Amino acid sequence: MPRPTTAQITYGSVTVILSTLAMLLLSQTASGVGIAVIAMAALGLGLLVAMTVPLPKQPAAPAARTAPAAAPAPAPAGDRVPAQRSVLADSVREPAGP
């Protein structure tokens, strides 16, 4: 069972407190049974809010591991054209934008 996040605990607690105060003020009840019913309703509402808070995204399961493709063997130095050596040795730098 996953542990509740800080956001879930915070939202649930705030919901319980505010909904209890709002229902007690609106109902103007003074009986013990009425207060108990309101408290249970507020706890249920807080639990509902806490459980519906979006959970952080879990990292995607890694794809099936396959053997890496074999890199092509480099061409012998004698087979390369001289211009290719300079192109491969220099990195290409382009401006970021207009």
Side-chain angles (χ1 to χ4, degrees):
M1 187 166 125
R3 295 182 182 199
T5 63
T6 305
Q8 287 176 314
I9 293 171
T10 303
Y11 285 134
S13 300
V14 168
T15 301
V16 169
I17 293 168
L18 292 180
S19 62
T20 302
L21 289 175
M23 286 189 280
L24 285 173
L25 290 173
L26 291 174
S27 69
Q28 297 178 354
T29 187
S31 69
V33 175
I35 293 172
V37 168
I38 288 174
M40 293 305 290
L43 286 173
L45 185 60
L47 182 62
L48 178 70
V49 168
M51 297 309 291
T52 56
V53 171
L55 295 174
K57 299 206 183 233
Q58 299 294 330
R65 295 186 181 230
T66 58
D79 292 348
R80 290 186 185 165
V81 178
Q84 285 181 332
R85 288 185 190 150
S86 66
V87 170
L88 293 175
D90 298 336
S91 63
V92 177
R93 303 273 179 173
E94 295 182 9

Coordinates of all heavy atoms in Angstrom, one line a residue:
M1 N 0.8 -1.2 0.0 CA 0.0 0.0 0.0 C 0.9 1.2 0.0 O 1.8 1.4 0.9 CB -0.9 0.0 1.2 CG -1.9 1.1 1.3 SD -3.1 0.7 2.5 CE -3.0 2.2 3.4
P2 N 0.7 2.1 -0.9 CA 1.5 3.3 -1.0 C 1.2 4.3 0.2 O 0.1 4.4 0.6 CB 1.2 4.0 -2.3 CG -0.2 3.5 -2.7 CD -0.3 2.1 -2.0
R3 N 2.3 5.0 0.6 CA 2.1 6.0 1.6 C 1.5 7.2 1.1 O 1.7 7.6 -0.1 CB 3.5 6.3 2.2 CG 4.1 5.1 2.9 CD 5.4 5.5 3.5 NE 6.0 4.3 4.1 CZ 6.9 4.3 5.1 NH1 7.4 5.5 5.5 NH2 7.4 3.2 5.6
P4 N 0.7 7.9 1.9 CA 0.1 9.2 1.4 C 1.1 10.3 1.3 O 2.1 10.4 2.0 CB -0.9 9.6 2.5 CG -0.5 8.8 3.7 CD 0.2 7.6 3.2
T5 N 1.0 11.1 0.3 CA 1.9 12.2 0.0 C 1.5 13.4 0.9 O 0.5 13.4 1.5 CB 1.8 12.7 -1.5 OG1 0.5 13.2 -1.7 CG2 2.1 11.5 -2.4
T6 N 2.4 14.3 1.0 CA 2.2 15.5 1.8 C 1.0 16.3 1.3 O 0.2 16.8 2.1 CB 3.5 16.4 1.7 OG1 4.6 15.7 2.1 CG2 3.3 17.6 2.6
A7 N 0.8 16.3 0.0 CA -0.4 17.0 -0.6 C -1.6 16.4 -0.1 O -2.6 17.0 0.2 CB -0.3 17.1 -2.1
Q8 N -1.7 15.0 -0.2 CA -2.9 14.3 0.2 C -3.2 14.6 1.7 O -4.4 14.8 2.0 CB -2.7 12.8 0.0 CG -2.7 12.4 -1.4 CD -2.5 10.9 -1.6 OE1 -1.5 10.4 -1.0 NE2 -3.3 10.3 -2.4
I9 N -2.2 14.5 2.6 CA -2.5 14.8 4.0 C -2.9 16.2 4.2 O -3.9 16.5 5.0 CB -1.2 14.5 4.8 CG1 -0.9 13.0 4.8 CG2 -1.3 15.0 6.2 CD1 0.4 12.6 5.3
T10 N -2.3 17.2 3.5 CA -2.7 18.6 3.7 C -4.1 18.9 3.2 O -4.9 19.5 3.9 CB -1.7 19.5 2.9 OG1 -0.4 19.2 3.4 CG2 -2.0 20.9 3.1
Y11 N -4.4 18.4 2.0 CA -5.7 18.7 1.4 C -6.8 18.0 2.3 O -7.9 18.6 2.5 CB -5.8 18.2 0.0 CG -5.1 19.1 -1.0 CD1 -4.3 18.6 -2.0 CD2 -5.3 20.5 -0.9 CE1 -3.7 19.4 -2.9 CE2 -4.7 21.3 -1.9 CZ -3.9 20.8 -2.8 OH -3.2 21.6 -3.7
G12 N -6.6 16.8 2.7 CA -7.5 16.1 3.5 C -7.8 16.7 4.8 O -8.9 16.9 5.3
S13 N -6.7 17.2 5.5 CA -6.8 17.8 6.8 C -7.6 19.1 6.7 O -8.5 19.5 7.5 CB -5.5 18.0 7.4 OG -4.8 16.8 7.6
V14 N -7.2 19.9 5.7 CA -7.9 21.2 5.5 C -9.3 21.0 5.2 O -10.2 21.8 5.7 CB -7.1 22.0 4.4 CG1 -7.9 23.3 4.0 CG2 -5.8 22.5 4.9
T15 N -9.6 20.0 4.4 CA -11.0 19.8 4.1 C -11.8 19.4 5.3 O -13.0 19.8 5.5 CB -11.1 18.6 3.0 OG1 -10.4 19.0 1.8 CG2 -12.5 18.3 2.6
V16 N -11.3 18.5 6.1 CA -12.0 18.1 7.4 C -12.3 19.3 8.3 O -13.4 19.5 8.7 CB -11.2 17.0 8.1 CG1 -11.8 16.8 9.5 CG2 -11.1 15.7 7.3
I17 N -11.3 20.1 8.5 CA -11.4 21.3 9.4 C -12.4 22.3 8.8 O -13.4 22.7 9.5 CB -10.1 21.9 9.6 CG1 -9.2 21.0 10.4 CG2 -10.2 23.3 10.4 CD1 -7.7 21.4 10.5
L18 N -12.3 22.7 7.6 CA -13.2 23.7 7.0 C -14.6 23.2 6.8 O -15.5 23.9 7.1 CB -12.6 24.2 5.7 CG -11.3 25.0 5.8 CD1 -10.8 25.4 4.4 CD2 -11.5 26.2 6.7
S19 N -14.7 21.9 6.4 CA -16.1 21.4 6.2 C -16.8 21.2 7.6 O -18.0 21.4 7.7 CB -16.1 20.1 5.4 OG -15.4 19.1 6.1
T20 N -16.1 20.8 8.6 CA -16.7 20.7 9.9 C -17.2 22.0 10.4 O -18.3 22.2 10.9 CB -15.7 20.1 10.9 OG1 -15.2 18.8 10.5 CG2 -16.3 19.9 12.3
L21 N -16.3 23.0 10.3 CA -16.7 24.4 10.8 C -17.9 24.9 10.0 O -18.8 25.5 10.6 CB -15.5 25.4 10.7 CG -14.4 25.2 11.7 CD1 -13.2 26.1 11.3 CD2 -14.9 25.4 13.1
A22 N -17.9 24.7 8.7 CA -19.0 25.2 7.8 C -20.3 24.5 8.2 O -21.3 25.2 8.3 CB -18.6 25.0 6.4
M23 N -20.2 23.2 8.3 CA -21.5 22.5 8.6 C -22.0 22.8 10.0 O -23.2 22.9 10.2 CB -21.3 21.0 8.4 CG -21.1 20.5 7.0 SD -21.1 18.7 6.7 CE -19.5 18.3 7.1
L24 N -21.1 22.9 11.0 CA -21.5 23.3 12.3 C -22.2 24.7 12.4 O -23.2 24.9 13.0 CB -20.4 23.2 13.3 CG -20.0 21.8 13.7 CD1 -18.7 21.9 14.6 CD2 -21.1 21.1 14.5
L25 N -21.6 25.6 11.6 CA -22.1 27.0 11.6 C -23.4 27.0 10.8 O -24.4 27.8 11.3 CB -21.1 28.0 11.0 CG -19.9 28.2 11.8 CD1 -18.9 29.1 11.1 CD2 -20.3 28.9 13.1
L26 N -23.5 26.3 9.8 CA -24.8 26.3 9.0 C -25.9 25.6 9.6 O -27.1 26.0 9.5 CB -24.5 25.8 7.6 CG -23.6 26.6 6.7 CD1 -23.3 25.9 5.4 CD2 -24.3 28.0 6.4
S27 N -25.6 24.5 10.3 CA -26.7 23.7 10.9 C -27.1 24.2 12.3 O -28.2 24.0 12.7 CB -26.3 22.2 11.1 OG -25.2 22.1 12.1
Q28 N -26.2 24.9 12.9 CA -26.5 25.5 14.3 C -27.0 24.4 15.2 O -27.8 24.7 16.1 CB -27.5 26.6 14.2 CG -27.0 27.8 13.4 CD -28.0 28.9 13.3 OE1 -29.2 28.8 13.7 NE2 -27.7 30.0 12.7
T29 N -26.4 23.2 15.1 CA -26.8 22.1 16.0 C -26.0 22.3 17.4 O -24.9 22.8 17.4 CB -26.5 20.8 15.4 OG1 -27.0 19.8 16.2 CG2 -25.0 20.5 15.2
A30 N -26.7 21.8 18.4 CA -26.1 21.8 19.7 C -26.1 20.4 20.4 O -25.5 20.2 21.4 CB -26.8 22.8 20.6
S31 N -26.7 19.5 19.7 CA -26.8 18.1 20.3 C -25.5 17.3 20.0 O -24.9 17.5 18.9 CB -28.0 17.4 19.7 OG -27.9 17.1 18.4
G32 N -25.2 16.4 20.8 CA -24.1 15.6 20.6 C -24.2 14.7 19.4 O -23.2 14.4 18.7
V33 N -25.4 14.2 19.1 CA -25.6 13.3 18.0 C -25.4 14.1 16.7 O -24.8 13.6 15.7 CB -27.0 12.7 18.0 CG1 -27.3 11.9 16.7 CG2 -27.2 11.8 19.2
G34 N -25.9 15.3 16.6 CA -25.7 16.2 15.4 C -24.3 16.5 15.2 O -23.8 16.4 14.0
I35 N -23.5 16.8 16.2 CA -22.1 17.1 16.1 C -21.3 15.8 15.6 O -20.4 15.9 14.8 CB -21.5 17.6 17.4 CG1 -22.1 19.0 17.7 CG2 -20.0 17.7 17.4 CD1 -21.8 19.6 19.1
A36 N -21.7 14.7 16.1 CA -21.0 13.4 15.7 C -21.3 13.1 14.3 O -20.4 12.7 13.5 CB -21.5 12.3 16.6
V37 N -22.5 13.3 13.8 CA -22.9 13.1 12.4 C -22.1 14.1 11.5 O -21.5 13.7 10.5 CB -24.4 13.2 12.2 CG1 -24.7 13.3 10.7 CG2 -25.1 12.1 12.9
I38 N -22.0 15.3 11.9 CA -21.3 16.3 11.1 C -19.8 15.9 11.1 O -19.1 16.0 10.0 CB -21.5 17.7 11.7 CG1 -22.9 18.2 11.3 CG2 -20.5 18.7 11.1 CD1 -23.3 19.5 12.0
A39 N -19.2 15.5 12.2 CA -17.8 15.2 12.3 C -17.5 14.0 11.4 O -16.5 13.9 10.7 CB -17.4 14.9 13.7
M40 N -18.4 12.9 11.4 CA -18.2 11.8 10.5 C -18.3 12.1 9.1 O -17.6 11.6 8.2 CB -19.2 10.7 10.9 CG -19.0 10.1 12.3 SD -17.3 9.4 12.5 CE -17.4 8.0 11.5
A41 N -19.3 13.0 8.7 CA -19.4 13.5 7.3 C -18.2 14.2 6.9 O -17.7 14.1 5.8 CB -20.7 14.3 7.2
A42 N -17.6 15.1 7.8 CA -16.4 15.8 7.4 C -15.2 14.9 7.2 O -14.4 15.1 6.3 CB -16.1 16.9 8.5
L43 N -15.1 13.9 8.1 CA -14.0 12.9 7.9 C -14.1 12.2 6.6 O -13.1 11.9 5.9 CB -14.0 11.9 9.1 CG -13.5 12.5 10.4 CD1 -13.6 11.5 11.5 CD2 -12.0 12.9 10.3
G44 N -15.3 11.8 6.3 CA -15.5 11.1 5.0 C -15.2 12.0 3.8 O -14.6 11.5 2.8
L45 N -15.6 13.2 3.9 CA -15.3 14.2 2.8 C -13.8 14.4 2.7 O -13.2 14.5 1.6 CB -16.0 15.5 3.1 CG -15.9 16.6 2.0 CD1 -16.5 16.0 0.7 CD2 -16.7 17.8 2.4
G46 N -13.1 14.5 3.9 CA -11.7 14.7 3.9 C -11.0 13.5 3.3 O -10.0 13.6 2.5
L47 N -11.4 12.3 3.6 CA -10.8 11.1 3.0 C -11.1 11.1 1.5 O -10.1 10.7 0.7 CB -11.5 9.9 3.7 CG -10.9 8.5 3.2 CD1 -9.4 8.4 3.6 CD2 -11.7 7.4 3.9
L48 N -12.2 11.4 1.1 CA -12.5 11.5 -0.4 C -11.6 12.5 -1.1 O -11.0 12.1 -2.2 CB -14.0 11.8 -0.6 CG -14.4 12.0 -2.1 CD1 -14.5 10.6 -2.7 CD2 -15.8 12.6 -2.2
V49 N -11.4 13.6 -0.5 CA -10.6 14.6 -1.2 C -9.1 14.2 -1.2 O -8.4 14.3 -2.2 CB -10.7 16.0 -0.4 CG1 -9.6 17.0 -0.8 CG2 -12.0 16.6 -0.7
A50 N -8.7 13.6 -0.1 CA -7.3 13.1 0.0 C -7.0 12.0 -1.0 O -5.9 11.9 -1.6 CB -7.0 12.6 1.4
M51 N -8.0 11.2 -1.2 CA -7.8 10.0 -2.2 C -7.8 10.5 -3.6 O -7.4 9.8 -4.5 CB -8.8 8.9 -1.9 CG -8.6 8.3 -0.5 SD -6.9 7.8 -0.2 CE -6.7 6.4 -1.3
T52 N -8.5 11.6 -3.9 CA -8.6 12.1 -5.3 C -7.5 13.0 -5.7 O -7.5 13.4 -6.9 CB -10.0 12.7 -5.6 OG1 -10.2 13.8 -4.6 CG2 -11.1 11.7 -5.4
V53 N -6.7 13.4 -4.8 CA -5.5 14.3 -5.2 C -4.6 13.5 -6.1 O -4.3 12.4 -5.9 CB -4.7 14.7 -3.9 CG1 -3.5 15.4 -4.3 CG2 -5.6 15.6 -3.0
P54 N -4.3 14.1 -7.2 CA -3.4 13.4 -8.2 C -2.1 12.9 -7.6 O -1.4 13.7 -6.9 CB -3.2 14.4 -9.3 CG -4.1 15.5 -9.1 CD -4.6 15.4 -7.7
L55 N -1.8 11.7 -7.8 CA -0.5 11.1 -7.3 C 0.6 11.5 -8.3 O 0.4 11.7 -9.4 CB -0.6 9.6 -7.2 CG -1.6 9.1 -6.2 CD1 -1.7 7.6 -6.3 CD2 -1.2 9.5 -4.8
P56 N 1.8 11.6 -7.8 CA 3.0 11.9 -8.7 C 3.1 10.8 -9.7 O 2.8 9.6 -9.4 CB 4.2 11.9 -7.8 CG 3.7 11.6 -6.4 CD 2.3 11.4 -6.4
K57 N 3.5 11.1 -10.9 CA 3.6 10.2 -11.9 C 4.8 9.2 -11.6 O 5.9 9.6 -11.3 CB 3.9 10.9 -13.3 CG 2.7 11.7 -13.7 CD 2.7 11.9 -15.1 CE 1.5 12.9 -15.4 NZ 0.6 12.4 -16.3
Q58 N 4.5 7.9 -11.8 CA 5.5 6.9 -11.6 C 6.3 6.8 -12.9 O 5.8 6.9 -14.0 CB 4.9 5.6 -11.3 CG 4.0 5.6 -10.1 CD 4.8 5.8 -8.8 OE1 6.0 5.4 -8.7 NE2 4.2 6.4 -7.8
P59 N 7.6 6.5 -12.8 CA 8.4 6.4 -14.0 C 7.9 5.2 -14.8 O 7.5 4.2 -14.2 CB 9.8 6.1 -13.4 CG 9.7 5.8 -12.0 CD 8.4 6.3 -11.5
A60 N 7.9 5.3 -16.1 CA 7.5 4.3 -16.9 C 8.3 3.0 -16.8 O 9.5 3.1 -16.6 CB 7.5 4.8 -18.4
A61 N 7.7 1.9 -16.9 CA 8.5 0.7 -16.8 C 9.4 0.6 -18.0 O 9.1 0.9 -19.1 CB 7.5 -0.5 -16.8
P62 N 10.6 0.1 -17.7 CA 11.6 0.1 -18.8 C 11.2 -0.9 -19.8 O 10.6 -1.9 -19.5 CB 12.9 -0.4 -18.1 CG 12.5 -1.0 -16.8 CD 11.2 -0.3 -16.4
A63 N 11.4 -0.6 -21.1 CA 11.1 -1.5 -22.2 C 11.9 -2.7 -22.1 O 12.9 -2.8 -21.4 CB 11.3 -0.7 -23.5
A64 N 11.4 -3.7 -22.8 CA 12.2 -5.0 -22.7 C 13.6 -4.7 -23.2 O 13.8 -4.1 -24.3 CB 11.5 -6.0 -23.6
R65 N 14.5 -5.2 -22.4 CA 15.9 -4.9 -22.8 C 16.4 -5.8 -23.9 O 16.1 -7.0 -23.9 CB 16.8 -5.1 -21.6 CG 16.5 -4.1 -20.5 CD 17.5 -4.3 -19.3 NE 17.1 -3.3 -18.3 CZ 18.0 -2.5 -17.8 NH1 19.2 -2.5 -18.1 NH2 17.6 -1.6 -16.9
T66 N 17.0 -5.2 -24.9 CA 17.5 -6.0 -26.0 C 19.0 -5.7 -26.1 O 19.5 -4.7 -25.6 CB 16.8 -5.5 -27.3 OG1 17.1 -4.1 -27.5 CG2 15.3 -5.8 -27.3
A67 N 19.7 -6.6 -26.7 CA 21.1 -6.4 -26.9 C 21.3 -5.2 -27.8 O 20.7 -5.0 -28.8 CB 21.7 -7.6 -27.5
P68 N 22.3 -4.3 -27.4 CA 22.5 -3.2 -28.3 C 23.1 -3.6 -29.6 O 23.7 -4.6 -29.7 CB 23.6 -2.4 -27.5 CG 24.2 -3.3 -26.5 CD 23.2 -4.4 -26.3
A69 N 22.7 -2.9 -30.6 CA 23.1 -3.2 -32.0 C 24.6 -3.0 -32.1 O 25.2 -2.1 -31.5 CB 22.4 -2.3 -33.0
A70 N 25.2 -3.9 -32.8 CA 26.6 -3.9 -32.9 C 27.0 -2.6 -33.8 O 26.4 -2.4 -34.8 CB 27.1 -5.1 -33.6
A71 N 28.0 -1.9 -33.3 CA 28.4 -0.7 -34.0 C 29.2 -1.1 -35.2 O 29.9 -2.1 -35.2 CB 29.3 0.2 -33.1
P72 N 29.0 -0.4 -36.3 CA 29.8 -0.8 -37.5 C 31.3 -0.6 -37.3 O 31.7 0.3 -36.6 CB 29.3 0.1 -38.6 CG 28.6 1.2 -37.9 CD 28.2 0.7 -36.6
A73 N 32.0 -1.5 -37.8 CA 33.5 -1.4 -37.6 C 34.0 -0.2 -38.4 O 33.6 0.1 -39.5 CB 34.1 -2.7 -38.2
P74 N 34.9 0.6 -37.8 CA 35.5 1.7 -38.5 C 36.3 1.3 -39.7 O 36.9 0.2 -39.7 CB 36.4 2.4 -37.4 CG 36.7 1.3 -36.4 CD 35.5 0.4 -36.5
A75 N 36.2 2.2 -40.7 CA 37.0 1.9 -41.9 C 38.4 2.0 -41.6 O 38.9 2.9 -40.8 CB 36.5 2.8 -43.0
P76 N 39.3 1.2 -42.3 CA 40.7 1.4 -42.1 C 41.1 2.8 -42.5 O 40.5 3.4 -43.4 CB 41.3 0.3 -43.0 CG 40.2 -0.6 -43.3 CD 38.9 0.1 -43.1
A77 N 42.2 3.3 -41.9 CA 42.6 4.7 -42.2 C 43.0 4.9 -43.6 O 42.8 6.0 -44.1 CB 43.8 5.0 -41.3
G78 N 43.5 3.9 -44.3 CA 43.9 4.1 -45.7 C 42.7 4.2 -46.6 O 42.8 4.8 -47.7
D79 N 41.5 3.8 -46.2 CA 40.3 3.8 -47.1 C 39.6 5.2 -47.0 O 38.7 5.5 -47.8 CB 39.3 2.8 -46.7 CG 39.8 1.4 -47.0 OD1 40.8 1.3 -47.7 OD2 39.2 0.4 -46.5
R80 N 39.9 6.0 -46.0 CA 39.2 7.3 -45.9 C 39.8 8.3 -46.8 O 41.0 8.4 -47.1 CB 39.4 7.8 -44.4 CG 38.7 7.0 -43.4 CD 38.8 7.7 -42.1 NE 38.2 6.9 -41.1 CZ 38.4 7.1 -39.8 NH1 39.2 8.1 -39.4 NH2 37.8 6.3 -38.9
V81 N 38.9 9.2 -47.2 CA 39.3 10.3 -48.0 C 39.8 11.4 -47.1 O 39.3 11.6 -46.0 CB 38.1 10.9 -48.8 CG1 38.4 12.1 -49.6 CG2 37.5 9.8 -49.7
P82 N 40.9 12.2 -47.4 CA 41.4 13.2 -46.5 C 40.4 14.2 -46.0 O 40.4 14.6 -44.8 CB 42.5 13.8 -47.3 CG 42.9 12.8 -48.3 CD 41.7 12.0 -48.6
A83 N 39.4 14.5 -46.8 CA 38.4 15.5 -46.4 C 37.5 14.9 -45.3 O 37.1 15.7 -44.4 CB 37.5 15.9 -47.6
Q84 N 37.3 13.6 -45.3 CA 36.5 13.0 -44.2 C 37.2 13.1 -42.9 O 36.6 13.3 -41.8 CB 36.2 11.6 -44.5 CG 35.2 11.3 -45.6 CD 35.0 9.9 -45.8 OE1 35.9 9.0 -45.6 NE2 33.8 9.5 -46.3
R85 N 38.5 13.0 -42.8 CA 39.2 13.1 -41.5 C 39.0 14.5 -40.9 O 38.7 14.6 -39.7 CB 40.7 12.9 -41.8 CG 41.0 11.5 -42.1 CD 42.5 11.3 -42.2 NE 42.8 10.0 -42.7 CZ 43.8 9.7 -43.4 NH1 44.7 10.6 -43.7 NH2 44.0 8.5 -43.9
S86 N 39.0 15.6 -41.7 CA 38.8 16.9 -41.1 C 37.4 17.1 -40.7 O 37.1 17.8 -39.7 CB 39.3 18.0 -42.0 OG 38.4 18.0 -43.2
V87 N 36.4 16.6 -41.4 CA 35.0 16.7 -41.1 C 34.7 15.9 -39.8 O 34.0 16.4 -38.9 CB 34.1 16.2 -42.2 CG1 32.7 16.1 -41.8 CG2 34.2 17.1 -43.4
L88 N 35.3 14.7 -39.6 CA 35.0 14.0 -38.4 C 35.7 14.6 -37.2 O 35.2 14.4 -36.1 CB 35.5 12.5 -38.7 CG 34.7 11.7 -39.7 CD1 35.4 10.4 -39.9 CD2 33.3 11.6 -39.3
A89 N 36.8 15.2 -37.4 CA 37.6 15.7 -36.3 C 36.9 17.0 -35.8 O 37.0 17.3 -34.6 CB 39.0 16.0 -36.7
D90 N 36.3 17.8 -36.6 CA 35.7 19.1 -36.2 C 34.3 18.9 -35.8 O 33.5 18.2 -36.5 CB 35.8 20.1 -37.3 CG 37.3 20.5 -37.7 OD1 38.1 20.3 -36.8 OD2 37.5 20.9 -38.8
S91 N 33.8 19.5 -34.7 CA 32.4 19.5 -34.4 C 31.7 20.6 -35.1 O 32.3 21.6 -35.4 CB 32.2 19.6 -32.9 OG 32.7 20.8 -32.5
V92 N 30.5 20.4 -35.4 CA 29.7 21.3 -36.2 C 29.0 22.3 -35.2 O 28.3 21.8 -34.3 CB 28.6 20.6 -37.0 CG1 27.8 21.6 -37.8 CG2 29.3 19.7 -38.0
R93 N 29.2 23.6 -35.3 CA 28.5 24.5 -34.5 C 27.7 25.4 -35.4 O 28.1 26.0 -36.4 CB 29.5 25.4 -33.8 CG 30.5 24.7 -32.9 CD 30.0 24.5 -31.6 NE 30.9 23.7 -30.8 CZ 30.8 23.5 -29.5 NH1 29.7 24.0 -28.9 NH2 31.6 22.8 -28.9
E94 N 26.4 25.5 -35.0 CA 25.5 26.4 -35.8 C 24.8 27.4 -34.8 O 24.7 27.1 -33.6 CB 24.4 25.5 -36.4 CG 24.9 24.6 -37.5 CD 23.8 23.8 -38.1 OE1 22.6 24.1 -37.9 OE2 24.1 22.8 -38.9
P95 N 24.5 28.6 -35.3 CA 23.8 29.5 -34.5 C 22.5 29.0 -34.0 O 21.8 28.2 -34.7 CB 23.6 30.8 -35.4 CG 23.8 30.3 -36.8 CD 24.6 29.1 -36.7
A96 N 22.1 29.4 -32.8 CA 20.8 28.9 -32.2 C 19.6 29.3 -32.9 O 18.6 28.6 -33.0 CB 20.7 29.4 -30.8
G97 N 19.6 30.5 -33.5 CA 18.4 30.9 -34.2 C 18.6 32.2 -34.9 O 19.7 32.8 -34.8
P98 N 17.6 32.7 -35.6 CA 17.8 34.0 -36.4 C 17.9 35.2 -35.5 O 17.5 35.2 -34.4 CB 16.5 34.1 -37.3 CG 15.6 33.1 -36.7 CD 16.3 32.1 -35.8

